[in-house]
């Protein structure tokens, strides 16, 4: 008798889809060709099901019974039944309990299907050796990709690549997209704070954003969870009551190790197996509760029991010298005065270790009257807010502390404007602090002079380091110094614009390796996320844009700058300067004007000059012009770059002095100009350099641009000659035969092609872009067929008729179409249908997706053009899908 599988198991869950996770969808597309099984292993609320629901495929949610391979076999059979031609053999094997034979029969049937994805959700419930074996058998089918969604990687990790919490967590841009959908009124700076606090956990971020929408500070929401019931509904179902009780008592302590277990009077091992279900973090031999989970679980206990445990835990933590933990326990136990005194005594030391969010959370949980009675706590709050990048709130807190008589608040305000590189705002507070703190002010004044572009005065006060070298016109020395510097301590507070990885990224983009600059920017972003610094995260995106700009990856650079600008929303105006300049470099006049305004408003003349040159050089490399204004800086490097611009004449001395300008760096002139100069200087071993840049586009129709200007073919066969050279190298005779021309005609065509690609080439000079008989790969020659993966595809050589071109067109189109089919998501399948709109099997597949209307339109339009009628069965299915009967009508 057949096993009954609930229909609900075959449907993906209804989940929120505010954020389309292109980053992870790309990971899936790239991952499946290398590993037919991908294991998405993360705790509740990491968006595994939401991600795969948007990716598409056959869906199967597993339960405990699926640990039995026979039960799993019945589930798989039901998922595939509508697609199978002959399920009888599989069914008979399962009825006999012969699950291995059933698996082999299912493998044979599935191997004949179109490429597709099978999603196994809640796989941790069905974890058994036999279940893994059955899935491994099915994964041998060449046409199937399997996504295993589980709270635990074991035992599924043996099947293929594991995508864990680190990858599934929201990145800053995804966090911003979620906030725009849920809480558009929150500025990006505030969103990034929440993202850092929950470490990218999607469910936690959603809960925190909702709390912030109601006016609750992120730290307060994190440690006093406003929606415990909603969170526990995700975590607790299926856990034994004894485990829930143990977890609740252990959550009071925040961590569970031998000492805490002794305090609770319970064994530590009780929660080990359920760590992933409860989102517990393993730290050595200890288990640590996520603050949101901790608060939710604590809410299930009686208040008296909670207070007793907290008081015991506070005393034990103080005895061990763990002040931070003790302060938290004291607050939760209601011993507020003790907690405030402890914070006054040790708080600045905690900030020096980078624990700004911890200090803020402790202060936010104290009554305002208690904080006001201790002015030192007002100053401590301001310092923590500054370190956390919450500058507007920090400024207000410093002023409050200053009004309460805390003189050090003058230094704090000065440091705040040093952090945000706003020297014009810092000067009044530096002057006011001079009387009380002359030694401290000397160092701050030197840095503010540097930020204002007054480098010589800053150096005279003793300021040294890579930033001084950079702003005084010595980027190579600055880069060498920073490369040799020891790695910074990871527990220090974030350094904002001084962050070593971000400064290194900038210097590498200027005078080193653009690839190294890209890697350093990504490291800087991770550092910003880890330390909870919105400033560092936003600036890291801008520095990533610089690295991509240096590589002439215009669209990617623009996307990075747009992310940087979005993340800087709500932060200091100076933070937007580099992002706006980057957008202007990719052709945005309004962005340039806004960049100049903000740079001048902040008082930083150096960054205005620097970004103006970034804009000028990027546009020059794109073949565009830029009216370079006079630069009011002391930096000799920037001034020489301005004098050499636009590199139409001369420049050899500058290139010799700064050889990195000949590489893919931020201030590189156009590559054709650099290589022409190198040839003139005798450093490029070629007979002749034409001094031009050539772009050849074959996708769609064949076209050529020389220095950005369209080149015109005088003869159709010259265009055909170039198309054939794009295919491969040739012998002269076979090329003449392919063109069907005589030797004399061929010489004319070859000469025309050489002069088309290399205008002004002297007679009898060997070709630079062409050799007998093929194309030479040169830095100045760009061909879209050589970078197919990064281009919007269209069948190549449209309008040119030749058997070899038609064969190549069909081959490349089929390769691209197969790649889209292997990707398997709805957009890719629709793209595959666009290339072959009469593929009825693909139309039928797409009718089951959100792209049904677009697919049906493409199919019927192609049939109309051929004067044909659509398949009757497909018509019925399309009507049901696109025009379902109203509820209550007769079928």
């Amino acid at each position: 008798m057949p096993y009954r599988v609930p229909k609900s198991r075959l449907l993906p869950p209804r989940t929120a889809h505010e954020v389309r996770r292109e980053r992870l969808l790309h990971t899936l597309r790239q991952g499946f060709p290398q590993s037919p099984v991908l294991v998405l292993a993360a705790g509740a609320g990491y968006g595994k099901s939401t991600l795969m629901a948007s990716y598409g495929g056959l869906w199967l949610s597993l339960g405990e019974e699926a640990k039995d391979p026979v039960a799993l076999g019945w589930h798989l059979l039901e998922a595939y039944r509508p697609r199978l031609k002959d399920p009888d053999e599989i069914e008979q094997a399962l009825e006999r309990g012969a699950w291995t034979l059933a698996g082999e029969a299912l493998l044979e049937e599935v191997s004949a299907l179109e490429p597709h994805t099978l999603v196994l959700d809640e796989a941790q419930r069905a974890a058994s050796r036999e279940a893994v074996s059955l899935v491994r058998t099915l994964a041998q089918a060449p046409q199937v990709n399997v996504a295993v969604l589980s709270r635990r990687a074991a035992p599924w990790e043996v099947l293929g690549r594991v995508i864990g919490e680190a990858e599934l967590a929201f990145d800053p841009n995804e966090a911003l997209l979620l906030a725009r959908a849920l809480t558009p009124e929150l500025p990006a700076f505030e969103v990034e704070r929440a993202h850092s606090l929950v470490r990218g956990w999607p469910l936690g971020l959603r809960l925190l954003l909702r709390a912030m929408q109601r006016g609750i500070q992120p730290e307060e929401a994190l440690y006093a969870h406003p929606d415990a019931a909603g969170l526990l509904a995700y975590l607790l179902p299926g856990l034994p009551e004894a485990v829930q009780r143990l977890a609740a008592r252990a959550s009071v302590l925040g961590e569970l190790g031998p000492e805490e277990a002794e305090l609770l009077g319970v064994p530590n091992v009780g929660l080990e197996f359920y760590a992933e279900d409860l989102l517990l973090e393993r730290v050595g031999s200890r288990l640590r509760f996520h603050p949101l989970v901790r608060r939710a679980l604590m809410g299930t206990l009686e208040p008296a029991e909670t207070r007793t445990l907290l008081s015991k835990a506070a005393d034990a933590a103080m005895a061990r010298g763990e002040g931070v933990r003790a302060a938290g326990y004291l607050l939760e136990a209601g011993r507020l005065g003790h907690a405030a005194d402890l914070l006054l005594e040790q708080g600045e030391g905690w900030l020096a270790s980078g624990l700004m969010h911890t200090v803020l959370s402790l202060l936010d949980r104290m009554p305002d009257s208690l904080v006001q009675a201790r002015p030192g706590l007002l100053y401590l709050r301001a310092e923590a807010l500054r370190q956390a990048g919450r500058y507007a709130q920090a400024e207000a807190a410093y002023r409050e502390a200053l009004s309460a008589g805390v003189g050090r608040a003058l230094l704090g305000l000065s440091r705040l404007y040093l952090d945000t590189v706003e020297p014009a705002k810092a000067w009044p507070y530096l002057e006011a602090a001079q009387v009380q703190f002359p030694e401290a002010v000397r160092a701050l004044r030197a840095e503010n002079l540097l930020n204002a572009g007054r480098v010589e005065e800053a150096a005279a006060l003793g300021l040294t380091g890579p930033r001084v070298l950079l702003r005084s016109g010595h980027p190579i020395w600055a880069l060498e110094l920073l490369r040799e510097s020891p790695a910074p301590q990871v527990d220090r507070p974030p350094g904002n614009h001084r962050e070593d990885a971000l400064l290194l990224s900038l210097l590498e983009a200027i005078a080193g390796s653009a690839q190294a600059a890209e890697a350093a920017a990504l490291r800087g972003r991770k550092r910003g996320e880890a330390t909870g610094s919105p400033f560092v995260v936003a600036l890291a995106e801008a520095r990533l844009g610089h690295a991509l700009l240096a590589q002439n990856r215009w669209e990617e650079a623009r996307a990075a700058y747009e992310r940087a600008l979005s993340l800087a929303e709500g932060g200091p105006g100076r933070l937007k300067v580099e992002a706006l300049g980057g957008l202007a470099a990719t052709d945005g006049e309004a962005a340039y004007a806004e960049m100049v305004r903000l740079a001048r408003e902040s008082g930083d003349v150096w960054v205005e000059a620097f970004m103006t040159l970034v804009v000028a050089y990027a546009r020059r490399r794109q073949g565009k012009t830029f009216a370079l204004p006079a630069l009011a800086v002391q930096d000799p490097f920037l001034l020489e770059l301005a004098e050499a611009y636009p590199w139409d004449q001369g420049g050899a001395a500058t290139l010799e002095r700064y050889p990195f300008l000949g590489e893919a760096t931020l201030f590189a002139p156009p590559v054709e100009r650099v290589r022409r100069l190198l040839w003139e200087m005798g450093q490029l071993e070629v007979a002749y350099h034409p001094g031009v840049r050539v772009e050849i586009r074959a996708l769609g129709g064949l076209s050529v641009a020389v220095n950005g200007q369209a080149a015109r073919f005088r003869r159709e066969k010259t265009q055909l000659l170039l198309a054939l050279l794009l295919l491969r190298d040739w012998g002269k005779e076979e090329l003449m035969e392919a063109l069907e021309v005589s030797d004399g005609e061929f010489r004319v065509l070859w000469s025309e092609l050489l002069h088309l690609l290399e205008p002004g080439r002297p007679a009898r000079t060997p070709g630079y872009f062409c050799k007998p008989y093929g194309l030479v790969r040169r830095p100045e020659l760009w061909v879209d067929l050589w970078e197919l993966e990064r281009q919007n595809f269209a069948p190549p050589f449209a309008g040119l008729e030749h058997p070899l071109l038609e064969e190549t067109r069909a081959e490349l189109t089929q390769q691209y179409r197969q790649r889209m089919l292997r990707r398997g998501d709805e957009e890719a399948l629709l793209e595959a249908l666009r290339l072959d709109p009469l593929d009825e099997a693909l139309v039928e597949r797409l009718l089951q997706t959100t792209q049904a209307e677009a697919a049906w339109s493409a199919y019927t339009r192609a049939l109309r053009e051929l004067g044909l009628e659509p398949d009757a069965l497909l018509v019925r299915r399309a009507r049901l899908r696109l025009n379902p009967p109203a509820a209550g009508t007769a079928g």
Side-chain angles (χ1 to χ4, degrees):
M1 183 176 178
Y3 184 95
R4 289 181 61 83
V5 176
K7 294 297 183 185
S8 59
R9 293 285 176 86
L10 308 179
L11 299 172
R14 293 183 178 179
T15 54
H17 287 80
E18 294 94 348
V19 179
R20 180 168 174 80
R21 308 196 66 185
E22 290 293 347
R23 172 180 60 88
L24 282 172
L25 290 170
H26 179 73
T27 299
L28 295 174
R29 294 168 194 150
Q30 298 295 314
F32 277 129
Q34 281 78 43
S35 175
V37 179
L38 295 179
V39 180
L40 280 64
Y46 270 89
K48 305 182 294 295
S49 301
T50 302
L51 172 67
M52 292 312 304
S54 66
Y55 189 83
L58 291 178
W59 197 276
L60 184 54
S61 296
L62 302 179
E64 292 283 340
E65 69 277 10
K67 289 181 179 178
D68 185 326
V70 174
L72 177 58
W74 282 109
H75 282 72
L76 291 168
L77 175 59
E78 289 307 310
Y80 275 106
R81 190 183 290 278
R83 300 188 178 199
L84 300 182
K85 291 182 179 178
D86 183 15
D88 291 349
E89 183 180 351
I90 305 167
E91 196 167 304
Q92 291 166 10
L94 289 172
E95 287 177 345
R96 300 196 309 271
W99 62 271
T100 55
L101 294 177
E104 292 170 4
L106 182 60
L107 170 62
E108 186 175 346
E109 286 278 334
V110 168
S111 297
L113 299 179
E114 289 286 320
H116 65 280
T117 302
L118 171 66
V119 182
L120 301 178
D121 198 10
E122 298 291 354
Q124 77 278 352
R125 297 175 178 171
S128 69
R129 182 172 55 83
E130 294 82 3
V132 170
S133 178
L134 182 54
V135 174
R136 179 187 281 119
T137 298
L138 183 59
Q140 294 173 26
Q143 303 293 71
V144 66
N145 293 321
V146 181
V148 178
L149 317 187
S150 174
R151 293 192 183 185
R152 292 179 284 278
W156 306 101
E157 74 269 31
V158 299
L159 296 177
R161 178 188 164 188
V162 175
I163 298 175
E165 290 182 359
E167 288 180 272
L168 289 165
F170 272 178
D171 66 16
N173 193 50
E174 290 165 334
L176 195 58
L177 291 173
L178 179 66
R180 284 175 178 168
L182 295 182
T183 54
E185 67 275 18
L186 295 179
F189 242 48
E190 300 296 303
V191 175
E192 173 52 28
R193 286 164 51 204
H195 171 262
S196 298
L197 284 170
V198 298
R199 302 179 187 175
W201 178 29
L203 174 60
L205 179 63
R206 179 182 293 274
L207 296 172
L208 228 60
L209 290 175
R210 289 296 193 194
M212 292 165 67
Q213 191 178 38
R214 297 196 295 272
I216 302 173
Q217 292 293 334
E219 290 84 5
E220 182 185 357
L222 188 71
Y223 290 93
H225 183 262
D227 186 18
L231 179 56
L232 294 179
Y234 274 88
L235 301 178
L236 297 187
L239 296 186
E241 287 190 16
V243 171
Q244 295 183 33
R245 171 70 179 167
L246 173 58
R249 299 193 74 230
S251 70
V252 175
L253 308 180
E255 289 189 11
L256 187 60
E259 294 162 348
E260 288 81 9
E262 183 179 346
L263 194 64
L264 290 169
V266 297
N268 181 26
V269 295
L271 295 180
E272 278 285 343
F273 182 76
Y274 301 96
E276 284 78 7
D277 296 275
L278 293 164
L279 295 177
L280 301 181
E281 181 183 0
R282 288 184 168 87
V283 185
S285 61
R286 304 170 66 81
L287 296 174
R288 179 179 297 164
F289 286 81
H290 190 286
L292 286 172
V293 177
R294 174 177 181 256
R295 177 54 59 180
L297 287 167
M298 283 174 63
T300 65
L301 296 175
E302 290 295 327
E305 182 180 8
T306 302
R307 282 194 298 272
T308 300
L309 284 170
L310 287 168
S311 289
K312 289 181 180 179
D315 295 339
M318 285 297 292
R320 296 193 302 269
E322 298 176 356
V324 171
R325 188 172 298 168
Y329 290 147
L330 288 170
L331 275 177
E332 290 180 298
R335 297 163 62 182
L336 304 182
H338 290 83
D341 292 340
L342 181 58
L343 191 55
L344 272 175
E345 180 185 340
Q346 300 187 22
E348 290 192 43
W350 299 342
L351 288 181
S353 300
L355 300 176
M356 75 289 293
H357 291 300
T358 299
V359 170
L360 284 173
S361 70
L362 293 172
L363 286 166
D364 285 344
R365 291 149 65 193
M366 290 182 181
D368 190 57
S369 58
L370 183 66
V371 176
Q372 295 290 338
R374 293 167 170 81
L377 291 180
L378 294 173
Y379 175 75
L380 192 66
R381 170 179 283 157
E383 287 282 282
L385 287 167
R386 178 176 64 84
Q387 283 193 17
R390 292 158 60 178
Y391 299 110
Q393 291 171 280
E395 183 179 27
Y398 278 127
R399 295 188 191 284
E400 189 178 6
L402 195 60
S403 299
V406 184
R408 285 193 298 163
L410 291 170
L411 291 175
L413 284 163
S414 302
R415 291 191 184 99
L416 187 151
Y417 296 123
L418 290 175
D419 284 357
T420 58
V421 201
E422 296 176 286
K425 292 182 179 180
W427 287 123
Y429 299 103
L430 287 170
E431 297 298 333
Q434 178 71 39
V435 177
Q436 297 182 60
F437 313 101
E439 287 304 313
V441 166
R442 179 183 175 87
L444 299 180
R445 178 183 292 275
E447 185 176 354
N448 207 52
L449 286 166
L450 179 66
N451 288 348
R454 295 157 61 181
V455 186
E456 292 178 0
E457 296 173 72
L461 288 176
L463 193 63
T464 60
R467 291 188 68 235
V468 175
L469 290 170
L470 169 61
R471 289 189 169 219
S472 58
H474 302 292
I476 296 179
W477 296 356
L479 178 57
E480 290 174 352
L481 179 62
L482 199 55
R483 282 174 172 173
E484 294 168 1
S485 299
Q489 295 296 315
V490 296
D491 60 349
R492 61 179 172 81
N496 289 3
H497 61 283
R498 314 174 197 87
E499 193 66 44
D500 287 351
L502 298 186
L503 184 55
L504 178 62
S505 177
L506 182 63
L507 288 166
E508 291 281 9
I510 296 169
S513 160
Q515 288 78 19
E518 188 176 348
L522 294 173
R523 288 200 305 275
R525 186 172 67 181
K526 288 183 180 177
R527 164 77 178 150
E529 293 171 8
T531 55
S533 172
F535 192 110
V536 171
V537 175
L539 186 57
E541 287 289 356
R543 297 285 163 86
L544 177 61
H546 297 342
L548 296 168
L549 199 69
Q551 299 172 63
N552 297 341
R553 292 158 61 181
W554 312 115
E555 292 303 319
E556 294 171 82
R558 184 174 185 83
Y561 290 130
E562 286 173 343
R563 290 195 300 271
L565 200 58
S566 295
L567 292 165
E569 181 191 345
R574 170 61 177 80
L575 184 55
K576 299 178 181 179
V577 167
E578 291 186 41
L580 286 166
L583 287 176
T586 57
D587 203 17
E589 293 298 335
Y592 177 73
E594 181 67 2
M595 182 275 288
V596 170
R597 185 187 71 79
L598 290 176
R600 291 179 180 176
E601 189 178 89
S602 72
D604 189 345
V605 296
W606 184 88
V607 81
E608 178 189 340
F610 177 85
M611 289 309 303
T612 294
L613 284 166
V614 168
V615 173
Y617 273 75
R619 291 198 186 177
R620 183 69 184 86
R621 290 198 301 276
Q622 295 172 74
K624 302 170 185 175
T625 58
F626 182 80
L628 192 64
L631 305 182
V633 286
Q634 303 172 1
D635 186 327
F637 171 60
L638 296 187
L639 291 174
E640 184 162 352
L641 288 176
E643 186 177 351
Y645 188 82
W647 290 76
D648 290 335
Q649 300 293 328
T654 300
L655 184 60
E656 197 163 11
R657 189 161 27 255
Y658 303 112
F660 56 80
L661 294 177
E663 306 298 329
T665 49
L666 208 49
F667 297 116
V671 63
E672 66 274 12
R673 182 64 188 148
V674 169
R675 289 179 60 84
R676 174 75 183 202
L677 282 173
L678 291 173
W679 176 66
E680 292 174 356
M681 295 159 62
Q683 296 180 24
L684 193 64
E685 295 183 2
V686 293
Y688 168 74
H689 192 284
V692 297
R693 177 184 73 259
V694 175
E695 296 179 6
I696 302 175
R697 298 182 181 276
L699 295 174
L702 183 65
S703 64
V704 175
V706 178
N707 278 351
Q709 299 297 315
R712 187 172 63 85
F713 292 92
R714 287 188 294 173
R715 293 174 176 82
E716 187 177 326
K717 284 207 170 180
T718 307
Q719 191 176 22
L720 183 59
L721 168 60
L722 178 58
L724 292 173
L725 294 181
L726 290 175
L727 303 186
R728 58 182 174 88
D729 291 349
W730 297 78
K732 182 178 179 180
E733 288 73 16
E734 62 173 344
L735 188 53
M736 288 170 52
E737 183 180 345
L739 288 166
E740 297 180 343
V741 295
S742 66
D743 184 68
E745 284 181 282
F746 179 76
R747 284 199 300 272
V748 171
L749 295 176
W750 187 255
S751 177
E752 181 183 330
L753 180 61
L754 288 178
H755 284 92
L756 181 84
L757 300 181
E758 305 170 23
R761 185 181 68 87
R764 292 184 294 279
T765 302
Y768 182 73
F769 294 116
C770 295
K771 63 183 179 182
Y773 289 93
L775 292 176
V776 183
R777 296 204 176 208
R778 303 284 194 191
E780 308 91 318
L781 177 61
W782 180 85
V783 179
D784 59 1
L785 289 182
W786 296 348
E787 298 183 6
L788 274 175
E789 293 290 333
R790 300 174 71 173
Q791 305 303 314
N792 292 324
F793 184 82
F797 307 119
L800 291 177
E801 296 182 4
H802 191 282
L804 291 175
L805 298 183
E806 291 166 6
E807 181 182 324
T808 300
R809 183 185 305 130
E811 181 181 341
L812 291 178
T813 301
Q814 183 61 16
Q815 287 175 4
Y816 176 73
R817 190 170 186 274
Q818 287 301 316
R819 194 160 72 244
M820 293 298 99
L821 289 172
R822 283 195 298 272
R823 259 180 51 180
D825 58 276
E826 295 178 9
E827 287 79 3
L829 294 178
L830 189 61
E831 175 72 357
L833 184 67
R834 182 180 68 81
L835 297 171
D836 183 5
L838 300 182
D839 184 340
E840 293 183 345
L842 186 53
V843 173
E844 186 173 359
R845 249 178 107 181
L846 282 164
L847 284 175
Q848 302 172 41
T849 72
T850 59
Q851 300 292 342
E853 188 171 347
W856 187 248
S857 175
Y859 170 63
T860 53
R861 184 169 58 251
L863 286 173
R864 279 197 305 271
E865 290 172 0
L866 296 172
L868 301 175
E869 293 296 323
D871 178 79
L873 180 59
L874 274 181
V875 170
R876 285 197 296 273
R877 290 180 177 170
R879 284 175 179 165
L880 285 173
R881 177 66 177 85
L882 301 176
N883 300 293
T889 59

